[in-house]
Amino acid sequence: MSMRGIDVSAHNGLIDWQAVKDARIQFALIRAGYGNDVSQKDLFFDRNIQGAINAGIAVGVYWFSYATSVEDAKKEAETCKTVISPYKDQITWPVFFDFEYDSVRYSNQQGVEPNKTLVTDMAIAFLDTMASAGYKVGNYANPDFCRNWFDMDRMSGYTLWL
């Protein structure tokens, strides 16, 4: 069985959620924010999650990571929990950790050379923090990140959004 879904953020602008529902989209993964401060909440997060829920679309969220250490990844998870807590009972899909090329660029600018061990440790710290708060969790990665940035053996217990 296949399901149709989308991922959205403020970069998508205003979304007509009824049109999304009419297009038979069954789930939406909504960016809640990025970084480790509540001021980095996605500007359209509330609008998007409320719109999707009101249209009867199942929702999950993702947090774009700029973590440079395990402690920073835990802070990001705490910030994510704060941002998404009003919707906890309505988030039926996972909360995803999203570490991408821009995350690597930022780390390098901060003098941190991320490697597979560090990136995997940060993902696990974020995901375990979210899971301990009662959320389903998962890791977002493309094939390059699965090969070169995450220890997929250590990540095997988490849902993968590829």
Side-chain angles (χ1 to χ4, degrees), residues 39-156:
S39 69
Q40 294 168 303
K41 174 180 174 178
D42 187 284
L43 294 176
F44 283 33
F45 174 67
D46 291 305
R47 177 190 307 257
N48 282 334
I49 198 166
Q50 289 169 359
I53 290 167
N54 291 344
I57 299 169
V59 295
V61 301
Y62 66 99
W63 194 266
F64 194 97
S65 179
Y66 285 107
T68 58
S69 69
V70 169
E71 272 312 305
D72 203 26
K74 289 177 184 175
K75 280 181 66 177
E76 286 188 342
E78 293 299 330
T79 304
C80 180
K81 284 192 314 191
T82 299
V83 168
I84 69 176
S85 64
Y87 308 99
K88 183 173 184 178
D89 295 337
Q90 296 163 298
I91 297 171
T92 57
W93 279 64
V95 174
F96 289 94
F97 178 77
D98 183 9
F99 191 90
E100 297 187 33
Y101 300 108
D102 198 50
S103 312
V104 173
R105 178 201 56 78
Y106 177 80
S107 291
N108 289 331
Q109 284 181 339
Q110 303 309 305
V112 174
E113 293 289 330
N115 58 36
K116 188 180 276 195
T117 300
L118 177 60
V119 174
T120 303
D121 288 347
M122 292 188 305
I124 290 170
F126 179 94
L127 295 171
D128 286 354
T129 300
M130 296 307 297
S132 70
Y135 292 96
K136 295 176 190 171
V137 297
N139 190 46
Y140 168 78
N142 64 31
D144 174 51
F145 271 71
C146 287
R147 276 189 305 276
N148 299 306
W149 294 97
F150 290 106
D151 179 338
M152 295 309 290
D153 289 336
R154 290 180 58 211
M155 299 299 295
S156 65

